[in-house]
Amino acid sequence: MKKLKFIGNPLLQSREKINMSSDKKWLTLKTTEDNEEFVVEESVAIMSNVIKNMVEDGCASSVIPVPRVKGNAMGKIIEFCKKHTEESDEKVLKEFDAEFLNLGPDALYDLMVSANFLEIKVLLDSVTTKVADMIKGKSSEEIRNILKIENDLSAEEIEESRRENCWTRQE
Amino acid sequence: MGSPQAKRKRVYEDEDEDKLSKLPDDVIHRILSFLDAKQAVQTSVLSTRWRFVWTTLPILNFGQYQHSSPENTYNFIRHVLFNRNHQAPVSELMLCSAQSIPSDSLVEQFVDYAISHNVECLNLKLFYFHTSFKLSRLSSSSLKKLTLQVRLAEVGSQSEPECWNLPALTHLSLGLPRGNFTKQGLFLNVFDKLPGSCLTCLPALRSLNLEGWDLKLSSFAFNLPHLTTLRLTGCRNLPEIIWNFPALLSLELDGVDLPKNINCIFTTLVNLQNLKLCLTRSSMEQQHSISCPQLLNLNIVMLSYDPLYGNIKVLAPKLRNFSCVGILSITLEVPELETVNIESLIWLSREDWIYRKKLCCLLIDMLSALGNAKYLTLNLNSIEALSATDFLASLPSPFYNLEFVKLPPEYEESRISGALRSYLLGGSPKATIVTTLPLNKVNFQAVPVSVTSRKGDEHYTTQSDVKIGVYADRVRQIGCPEISNVRASSSRNSDSGLWHGHEVNLEFVGLLDIIMKNYPQTFEHSTAKSERFHTMMLNMLCTSVTEFLRTSMADFNVDIISKYKDLFADLQRWGFQLVWLLSHLNNIEQLLVSPHELHTTDSCVDDAKSKLQELQAYCLEKITEI
């Protein structure tokens, strides 16, 4: 029986890699609303404080159910968290954020609610800053249009509010 | 009004739905916190939902209101403070005013209101001449961050010293009002003296930022045991006693005249990791020595353009990143150096050739002290200074460890002269010239990232996807024990190659080709949720195969065989078709399990031997007969 030749010596280096990759834990996040599953690295998932606490308390099995977040919002959130764990260059991250958040108010709303629920501070700050930028310096009429807010105040109520808040139309 | 039209209408309504108003209050507060208080209050007219949200907004940011008269501004601020919901706390209050508010007492009321509402972050910047602020007004048990650009009351010759009590304060930033205008509009150029009592009664302080102060009266106060970050900008009369900041991690001295005993001060900062010095001309006329055992990042900026005469000696055994704006005379003992960034400030605008020659020599000297750098970044001026050095061709490369040299994007690689190329890259075989440094290699971490503890690798589960860690453990267990004694190779990612569109380790590409050629059915059904997964799967496959092939026959036993069986079964579950591998394994198992087959062979041989002997004996007989 002749000894089988081994090919090169990849073993040492690949062993190092296996050692390294065994440090990477993977979690499955399952959105309970539409039963979509997402496999993410633990280091990415713990950007959410809620998930981080679950993992640290040891009550996270491999599949973590996530209520109240829809599948497509979850996908976007994971994309955001991944980018933010991988990159440390601020400029690159700023550019990424600007493009990532180029969404309509509905999608931004979904992101905000989910980020608030999952306690992902970075994402929540980015989205809220974006919304604030959208309404900065605009008149109330314009704000209503941009954010699709329904005006249900009567004319008197508006006048009253203006008077109360010492604010004239010009300022 | 058929059904498709109705459907369309419904979809349109959905899109128009006012979702933003359904957000909880605290999310809306976050949005409003980025706006000026005036605009936040103006949202009260948007709808009923938004009418009173501003009254509970905890973050109030009053800007400069340049278009309003001071009275209007005054009224507005008063109104907001008095008409908001008093139960709601104020977490952040910011007032930045360039106009002189009619009543000085407003500012005091402002601060009092904030403090009585448990403010955590207070930011007060007054750009006009006002009566000095009394420190004792600012005593608060909740205040964590304080930024003031106001005139502070000096310690008078009267009774008790003014002192504040801020037990929770972690960040303090004190600056002088930028425009020191009196009510008559005269400009005062005053270095107010920082009252020494400012820096007392701050047991939790982590970060201190002082700007534009005369620190003569504060020398005794440079004693903050928990301080981790200190920044002094444009201050005078830095105390010459030894500063007591044992926990200091980051220090920035910007445009200050360094005290005479600064070398001693550096040695006492034993935990310092980041140091940034912006040196004035007078600072540079002395010799300086920076000797910090834990220093990781050093950043020196010359505020004056002339090549200066002093010398800096750096003794930092752990220094990784060195950045210098300007050229200076420096000697370094930095065995761990990795990243170097040199920005020369001025080059072409000085035509004096003696000056230019001096600059070149200084630059060459400086670079020769940075020989062990791995990543070198040069700006346009430095490159041009080097290119213009006439004796460059005769110089050997001072670098022997380079991996990447980053040049500014506006300098094309084709412009690099042969002499410059050999000067930069000549001593380092692996070096290349790039336009952007690979990000994962350059790391300006200020504080080491803490590693979260992992809950044991023994968390085995039965789910087939995901468990790379578990799999890896098992592969480790099967292998030959002597491998673990071999020194581990570099922990950087080894080169990867492309195999059929998947990125795998370079050494596996050949193996995968062989497998593909001989057993193409292996990859027919492999599935993976993501590209990275698939790459890992391929790498795992290759590793297992190579390990399997490496194990000599003598090392196989029943245990190892069953472990390999499990391994290959897992790989099969991930979609690889490994019948051929399993049949090999079975063959080996057969041989192990049935050693008596060898005996039978042996006995056959023995039989044959004895038969042969019989025949030979018979032949001999026959021959003798004849």
Side-chain angles (χ1 to χ4, degrees), chain B residues 498-570:
Chain B
L498 270 182
W499 182 80
H500 286 244
H502 300 295
E503 215 181 271
V504 295
N505 296 333
L506 203 54
E507 55 262 22
F508 291 152
V509 177
L511 176 61
L512 285 168
D513 280 337
I514 294 175
I515 298 177
M516 186 58 143
K517 193 169 115 190
N518 295 327
Y519 310 106
Q521 67 274 22
T522 312
F523 303 105
E524 260 170 23
H525 299 295
S526 62
T527 55
K529 277 214 162 74
S530 74
E531 178 53 47
R532 264 178 93 169
F533 234 82
H534 206 187
T535 303
M536 295 200 79
M537 293 301 110
L538 287 171
N539 284 334
M540 286 302 161
L541 172 68
C542 293
T543 315
S544 323
V545 169
T546 44
E547 182 139 20
F548 177 56
L549 295 175
R550 190 188 171 152
T551 321
S552 66
M553 269 308 298
D555 293 327
F556 270 112
N557 61 39
V558 183
D559 265 331
I560 289 189
I561 288 189
S562 68
K563 282 186 178 149
Y564 268 119
K565 271 196 180 158
D566 289 337
L567 253 181
F568 295 147
D570 265 344

Side-chain angles (χ1 to χ4, degrees), chain B residues 85-96:
Chain B
N85 183 345
H86 295 290
Q87 308 297 327
V90 176
S91 66
E92 268 183 54
L93 195 55
M94 279 170 272
L95 173 60
C96 176

Side-chain angles (χ1 to χ4, degrees), chain A residues 124-139:
Chain A
L124 191 57
D125 282 343
S126 303
V127 183
T128 46
T129 322
K130 165 88 188 184
V131 175
D133 283 341
M134 281 162 70
I135 62 180
K136 214 175 252 190
K138 302 260 180 0
S139 74

